[in-house]
Amino acid sequence: MFVLLKGLRHARREIALSVPAARGSLALRHVDAGSCNGCEHELAAAANPYYDLQRHGLNIVASPRHADVLLVTGPITTRMVQPLLIAYEAMPEPRLTAALGDCAVGCAALVGEQAQLAGPLERVLPVDLRIPGCPPNPEQIAAALLDLMREAKQRVRADRSRSWSPQPRHPAAKA
Amino acid sequence: MSVHGREIVRALSPARILVVAPERWRAECELHAQEGWRFCGLFATSGAQQPRVSCVLARGGREHVLSTSVPTGILDTLVDLFEASAVDEREAHDVYGVRFHGHEPLRPLLEHPSDPAAWTVPVQGHDPYQVAVGPIHAGVIESGHFRFTVVGERILNLDLRLFYKHRGLQTAAEGRRLADGLAYAARACAACSVTNAVAYAQACESALALAPDRNLRRARTLLLELERLYNHLNDISAICAGVGFAPGSMAFAALKERAQRLNQRLTGHRFLFGAVAVASSELRIGHVDARAARHELRSIGDGTRSLWRELRFAASVQDRLGGVGCLTRDDALRLGVVGPSARASGIEKDTRSESPRLAYGEFAPVSVARASGDVAARFDVRGLELEQTLALLDDLLDGNLTTGAVKSLGGADCELGVSRVESPRGETLCAVQHHGGSVVRLHLRTGSYANWPAVACAARENLLPDFPLINKSFELCYACADR
């Protein structure tokens, strides 16, 4: 155990994530809609000691009910459309959708007009964030998600200032 | 030509294709089974007027392809001769409409009927109930559906429903040039991308009567072992995660990251994408880079060894591995299990020892001291194979590597080429049928495809909460099977 923990300390010392940190957190739920497993490997790698996404408040959660962001990978096979829509429906609002990898974004070389595909993601769900790459590496995934976090925060702040503005709710009440 | 040269030509000769009449199909297969031929895969093609069915069998380093037309649309089943052919026959039925006489019930594989009775094994008795899991799982893993029939916490039966990720890659490859078809095989799965690509390239070269030169063999072997390295490190990390041992899981995840960074430095891609081509190799590694890579691999090896020792002495890990998810040798033979899972059950077979198109030389499969077929044995096999892989890589990186090419064997072209390559999960079969340099049919039967039925078999009689651990000890790809 001692050696294991020492090894981990060593790995953490050379953390290479160069993206600027952001305050806040995002709960992520991943859905594989027909990927080659490359995006899954890289998303899982984002939690390894070299990247450690959790220290930026990016947490992968077990259920769409707990999630702010739906991270979708793969070219959206026809057999995954229904489960994907169910997962999306289960999310609380406000919710965001991210296309992770070239297949979900819709720029993968191999994904043609196969009958078994319903994608890319934008044909099935509204897309808020596109993370291209085949597969995108953990650092690119982290950078894109941290940008999304900043943007989402600004949007929430703008919404809040609008709804809290001291304007009368009913113009008729003024008279 | 020297005697040695003639032997090499014979070893590289393409698979023998035996065309049989539909009524002789079963008898011929039975004859092969009696002579000790092993089932490697069965696939259908649409053919000119009527579908054709082919069965690939292997003995030693030789392959036979039995092929028949199916004018009536019905063929005798092989499931009682080779139980491993059950999944292949279901796929041939769902995609090409071939029915198999005697395969009852022929459950759907690619089709997903809403009624569970149509695809699950009926279980009767006192209070069995079903637990449905997936296709979306709680972790960051691929999509697939498991339906457990349990009493209390004990699993009585597990029915798998895969093919949620079926992308139709095999059909999409049809009509492409042989060189372009490679991408469809390679991108079926990221974690087995090199294996699938090498299997495809070798199948094409075998059909075109081409032999790889020394550099090409060395480059492909190097890539295959780099792939095995990061996969085995990942699998050990996954088994640690399966028992909730975070320090082990994270330490091996860090080693995997180092292996993938090495991949990036050597080939420009963390998953080695684009490093394999048909009939050539563009991989160049200079003296300095090779020495640096060897140095890094030795450091990864040292790390692996010391962490492995820690895991061996971590009682809370070891106590959870023994006796869980047992796959007996008989079951493994019956189901045609391949790869580390087969070796953990005492079947000392490794396709690397019969790969004349690769640079494995005198390769001997690992043998575990305790081939008990449980999670502990599968864990041990990975540890031993890591040693083997690191030694092979050290050997392969001795000196610089330049571009590779092929030379003609002087034989005639053959319209069908088959090739078998050992992936981190077991033997992968690729069959490529071509006409005038274009793909007519691509069939990929990966180690994961072969081993999924074994996961269901090993899960029986175990506790439901142990299933994630059992599943991770096989660590099969869904993408590889679904294609």
Side-chain angles (χ1 to χ4, degrees):
Chain A
M1 184 72 104
F2 174 72
V3 176
L4 284 171
L5 295 175
K6 206 175 91 185
L8 281 180
R9 254 209 332 267
H10 190 73
R12 288 182 71 105
R13 241 183 261 132
E14 48 177 293
I15 281 171
L17 203 59
S18 58
V19 289
R23 288 184 67 184
S25 74
L26 280 179
L28 314 168
R29 174 65 266 193
H30 156 255
V31 174
D32 164 15
S35 88
C36 71
N37 203 7
C39 294
E40 281 68 30
H41 267 268
E42 293 299 58
L43 184 58
N48 78 25
Y50 282 89
Y51 304 100
D52 197 10
L53 273 193
Q54 272 136 320
R55 74 199 152 105
H56 293 297
L58 295 168
N59 298 303
I60 293 164
V61 294
S63 165
R65 295 230 184 267
H66 309 152
D68 304 312
V69 183
L70 199 63
L71 272 177
V72 185
T73 61
I76 324 293
T77 56
T78 49
R79 291 163 175 82
M80 275 309 291
V81 171
Q82 208 53 37
L84 176 63
L85 291 176
I86 294 171
Y88 183 71
E89 285 304 315
M91 290 172 75
E93 292 199 52
R95 59 192 163 185
L96 297 164
T97 317
L100 178 61
D102 282 351
C103 291
V105 171
C107 55
L110 292 185
V111 179
E113 292 301 310
Q114 282 115 288
Q116 290 85 357
L117 302 180
L121 182 60
E122 60 189 15
R123 281 201 206 154
V124 183
L125 286 175
V127 181
D128 301 287
L129 175 69
R130 291 174 174 81
I131 312 174
C134 187
N137 65 37
E139 189 154 352
Q140 288 164 338
I141 297 174
L145 288 172
L146 288 174
D147 278 348
L148 180 72
M149 193 151 90
R150 274 187 217 100
E151 200 183 293
K153 232 159 96 177
Q154 275 164 11
R155 207 186 299 168
V156 168
R157 207 171 284 153
D159 284 354
R160 199 177 287 158
S161 64
R162 247 202 312 282
S163 60
W164 285 95
S165 57
Q167 282 167 10
R169 211 168 266 180
H170 303 288
K174 237 200 292 192
Chain B
M1 194 184 282
S2 67
V3 177
H4 184 64
R6 223 175 284 140
E7 260 170 29
I8 288 178
V9 169
R10 200 173 308 134
L12 292 184
S13 63
R16 219 172 128 204
I17 297 164
L18 306 163
V19 178
V20 297
E23 55 275 10
R24 288 282 307 151
W25 168 252
R26 203 189 133 82
E28 286 293 334
C29 290
E30 200 165 2
L31 210 64
H32 275 80
Q34 283 159 3
E35 288 173 359
W37 291 76
R38 192 169 59 83
F39 176 84
C40 294
L42 176 145
F43 59 96
T45 45
S46 40
Q49 274 97 35
Q50 41 197 253
R52 290 193 72 82
V53 172
S54 306
C55 175
V56 185
L57 301 152
R59 192 175 66 180
R62 310 259 321 126
E63 287 114 6
H64 276 186
V65 183
L66 268 64
S67 176
T68 182
S69 62
V70 194
T72 54
I74 307 181
L75 201 63
D76 283 337
T77 184
L78 304 180
V79 278
D80 50 333
L81 302 176
F82 310 108
E83 203 170 316
S85 70
V87 189
D88 303 61
E89 288 192 353
R90 288 162 71 190
E91 186 178 345
H93 174 259
D94 282 5
V95 182
Y96 293 92
V98 182
R99 280 178 293 151
F100 291 89
H101 180 70
H103 187 150
E104 289 289 338
L106 192 61
R107 295 196 169 91
L109 187 74
L110 270 76
E111 305 305 323
H112 287 174
S114 52
D115 180 13
W119 60 275
T120 55
V121 176
V123 178
Q124 288 177 334
H126 289 296
D127 282 347
Y129 63 96
Q130 288 195 337
V131 178
V133 180
I136 301 173
H137 301 279
V140 181
I141 49 170
E142 302 180 77
S143 296
H145 180 69
F146 303 124
R147 194 167 281 252
F148 300 91
T149 309
V150 291
V151 165
E153 288 205 324
R154 198 154 52 91
I155 301 169
L156 295 182
N157 185 59
L158 163 60
D159 287 295
L160 303 167
R161 179 147 91 173
L162 302 178
F163 286 87
Y164 279 91
K165 304 179 46 150
H166 181 56
R167 289 148 287 167
L169 289 175
Q170 296 184 152
T171 347
E174 288 170 12
R176 316 257 162 197
R177 306 294 302 165
L178 280 178
D180 301 335
L182 179 116
Y184 291 87
R187 296 298 169 91
C189 176
C192 311
S193 164
V194 173
T195 311
N196 294 347
V198 169
Y200 176 89
Q202 288 188 356
C204 291
E205 288 157 18
S206 159
L208 299 172
L210 301 170
D213 68 7
R214 195 177 159 270
N215 275 342
L216 186 53
R217 291 209 305 268
R218 197 169 139 222
R220 284 181 180 166
T221 313
L222 174 70
L223 292 167
L224 284 166
E225 291 308 310
L226 284 173
E227 180 171 83
R228 197 175 326 276
L229 176 67
Y230 84 80
N231 268 293
H232 275 19
L233 291 170
N234 176 65
D235 296 354
I236 294 171
S237 165
I239 292 175
C240 290
V243 297
F245 189 64
S249 169
M250 280 298 135
F252 274 90
L255 284 174
K256 178 204 170 196
E257 177 68 24
R258 284 175 67 184
Q260 281 197 287
R261 287 182 181 189
L262 181 65
N263 292 348
Q264 170 87 41
R265 279 203 294 280
L266 289 176
T267 69
H269 198 281
R270 284 164 61 88
F271 292 87
L272 309 161
F273 282 3
V276 181
V278 177
S280 68
S281 163
E282 294 300 317
L283 187 64
R284 283 193 202 89
I285 300 170
H287 275 295
V288 180
D289 290 341
R291 203 178 310 133
R294 266 177 115 183
H295 184 74
E296 171 67 0
L297 282 166
R298 280 189 188 146
S299 163
I300 291 175
D302 290 344
T304 305
R305 256 165 247 129
S306 89
L307 293 174
W308 181 256
R309 214 162 29 239
E310 284 296 301
L311 288 182
R312 300 284 302 163
F313 289 105
S316 64
V317 176
Q318 295 298 327
D319 275 359
R320 288 277 284 108
L321 306 183
V324 177
C326 275
L327 182 73
T328 62
R329 188 170 190 273
D330 288 346
D331 279 339
L333 280 172
R334 179 172 60 81
L335 295 169
V337 177
V338 293
S341 315
R343 294 189 279 279
S345 293
I347 303 173
E348 284 180 26
K349 273 203 72 64
D350 193 317
T351 312
R352 285 181 280 176
S353 60
E354 42 189 66
S355 300
R357 287 177 178 271
L358 295 168
Y360 282 114
E362 300 293 310
F363 180 89
V366 296
S367 68
V368 276
R370 204 166 36 90
S372 43
D374 53 4
V375 175
R378 287 189 282 279
F379 182 74
D380 288 351
V381 167
R382 296 231 169 67
L384 291 172
E385 291 195 3
L386 271 177
E387 285 292 337
Q388 224 177 14
T389 293
L390 286 163
L392 277 167
L393 283 171
D394 194 58
D395 225 27
L396 289 160
L397 283 165
D398 189 7
N400 66 336
L401 180 73
T402 53
T403 54
V406 289
K407 50 183 183 283
S408 177
L409 277 170
D413 279 17
C414 180
E415 66 168 22
L416 178 73
V418 299
S419 160
R420 294 177 296 133
V421 178
E422 184 82 12
S423 85
R425 284 153 195 91
E427 181 185 276
T428 289
L429 171 85
C430 185
V432 179
Q433 195 185 337
H434 76 106
H435 184 75
S438 294
V439 179
V440 174
R441 174 83 165 91
L442 162 65
H443 183 74
L444 198 61
R445 191 186 195 269
T446 60
S448 295
Y449 188 101
N451 283 354
W452 271 113
V455 176
C457 179
R460 263 175 231 143
E461 296 298 317
N462 282 271
L463 299 182
L464 190 58
D466 273 342
F467 180 72
L469 174 62
I470 297 167
N471 195 14
K472 283 183 162 84
S473 73
F474 285 91
E475 193 66 10
L476 304 178
C477 321
Y478 300 65
C480 256
D482 298 359
R483 298 158 312 204

